[in-house]
């Protein structure tokens, strides 16, 4: 099974504003639709054409401590539209989710039949990106930037404007982000920092730098264009073993319980994740992390067992 998500470019560049949990849910929906395209699974369809997606809850909320936020994400998706514009006389807008249901660790979603063709549209090309990376990111802005950069990674450049960026992120009506300095600080720089850290640690295949083009002389002119330079590890800094849901689960556990308050803790997380990949031990590491969550000191338990069993 491929460990990547392939997203239609109209969806990649569409206008929407989702939080982290909403994005994780939609990533899983897209991944299942594409698995069905490849003949790996069969998605249940109602008599009226609604599609039913069954997603393990822990993929959306690995720590299983955000039930109310996940439920809120479902409510938000029911009320939001997906807006895709091809040109002035060719566009689509429609609701994403009919309803959601959580029972026995499985999140079931119903999507209307009109949505699927846009998520699977082949004619305009696809954006492929690692499911592990996007599921590991903590900022919804970092998720969106990873999608955009993945689309343009073959060219090495992505050109856009502050206004277009606001539009795609659903921030056009926000007074806060009308000021470019705020957009730069709270959106662009946040995404750049998070992606760079993952890239440096070998946990992401993409990071970026950017330059600003201004109207007028000097630095006092208004920014009218942004040029993003994309750094892409073509052969993949992520080993195949890392491109799994187990690795995502372990990485999330470690980032949560081994908070980088000391250099020792940060170095342990980085080295341990790399060693888990080298040993092809993501499945066992995920089992250790799952058991550790029930212990009084999850970090200490994980560290002890990982040392004993995996030599980490």
């Amino acid at each position: 099974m491929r460990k990547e998500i392939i997203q239609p470019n109209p969806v990649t560049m569409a206008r929407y504003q989702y939080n982290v949990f909403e994005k994780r849910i939609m990533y899983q929906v897209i991944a299942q639709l594409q698995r069905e395209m490849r003949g790996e699974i069969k998605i249940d369809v109602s008599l009226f054409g609604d599609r039913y997606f069954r997603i393990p809850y822990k993929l959306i909320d690995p720590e299983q401590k955000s039930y109310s936020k996940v439920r809120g994400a479902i409510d938000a998706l029911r009320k939001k539209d997906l807006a895709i514009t091809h040109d002035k006389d060719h566009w689509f807008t429609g609701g994403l989710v009919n309803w959601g249901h959580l029972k026995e660790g499985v999140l079931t979603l119903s999507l209307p039949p009109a949505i699927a063709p846009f998520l699977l549209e082949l004619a305009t090309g696809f954006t492929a990106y690692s499911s592990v990376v996007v599921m590991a990111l903590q900022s919804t802005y970092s998720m969106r930037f990873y999608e955009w950069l993945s689309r343009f990674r073959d060219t090495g450049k992505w050109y856009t404007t502050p206004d277009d960026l606001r539009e795609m992120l659903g921030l056009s009506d926000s007074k806060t982000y009308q000021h470019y300095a705020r957009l730069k600080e709270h959106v662009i720089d946040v995404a750049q920092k998070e992606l760079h850290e993952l890239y440096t640690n070998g946990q992401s295949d993409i990071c970026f730098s950017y330059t600003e083009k201004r109207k007028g002389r000097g630095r006092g002119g208004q920014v009218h264009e942004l040029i993003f330079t994309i750094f892409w590890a073509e052969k993949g800094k992520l080993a195949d073993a890392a491109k799994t849901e187990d690795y995502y689960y372990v990485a999330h556990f470690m980032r949560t319980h081994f908070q980088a308050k000391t250099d020792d803790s940060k170095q342990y997380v980085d080295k341990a994740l790399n060693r888990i990949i080298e040993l092809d031990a993501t499945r066992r590491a995920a089992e250790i992390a799952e058991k550790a969550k029930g212990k009084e000191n999850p970090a200490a338990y994980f560290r002890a067992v990982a040392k004993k069993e995996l030599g980490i």
Side-chain angles (χ1 to χ4, degrees), residues 129-144:
Y129 46 89
S130 166
S131 61
V132 174
V133 178
V134 292
M135 294 295 282
L137 293 169
Q138 301 300 305
S139 164
T140 184
Y141 299 135
S142 301
M143 291 174 168
R144 293 301 304 277

Side-chain angles (χ1 to χ4, degrees), residues 166 171-180 182:
R166 294 185 189 97
L171 299 175
S172 296
D173 296 330
S174 171
K175 293 183 179 179
T176 299
Y177 293 105
Q178 290 305 311
H179 301 283
Y180 173 73
R182 294 283 183 87

Side-chain angles (χ1 to χ4, degrees), residues 234-245:
E234 185 171 357
K235 294 183 179 179
K237 297 189 73 174
L238 295 175
D240 288 341
K243 297 180 180 180
T244 66
E245 293 169 353

Side-chain angles (χ1 to χ4, degrees), residues 70-81:
V70 174
R71 184 169 184 171
I74 299 296
D75 287 339
L77 288 172
R78 286 195 304 106
K79 298 171 184 177
K80 286 181 178 176
D81 287 344

Side-chain angles (χ1 to χ4, degrees), residues 219-230:
R219 295 187 56 82
Q222 184 179 4
V223 175
H224 70 96
E225 185 178 38
L226 295 164
I227 305 172
F228 293 90
T229 299
I230 304 164

Side-chain angles (χ1 to χ4, degrees), residues 81-133:
D81 287 344
L82 174 67
I84 299 174
T85 301
H86 296 276
D87 51 53
K88 64 180 181 180
D89 60 354
H90 183 192
W91 50 263
F92 171 86
T93 182
L96 279 170
V97 175
N98 294 322
W99 51 261
H101 178 226
L102 176 63
K103 184 178 181 181
E104 298 178 352
V106 177
L107 180 64
T108 302
L109 298 176
S110 168
L111 265 69
I115 289 295
F118 290 92
L119 297 181
L120 293 173
E121 187 173 344
L122 295 170
T124 53
F126 289 115
T127 296
Y129 46 89
S130 166
S131 61
V132 174
V133 178

Side-chain angles (χ1 to χ4, degrees), residues 183-202:
L183 185 72
K184 173 184 172 71
E185 179 183 359
H186 297 291
V187 177
I188 303 173
D189 289 348
V190 167
Q192 183 183 40
K193 181 176 184 292
E194 186 172 12
L195 285 169
H196 184 266
E197 288 179 354
L198 288 179
Y199 185 91
T200 301
N201 295 333

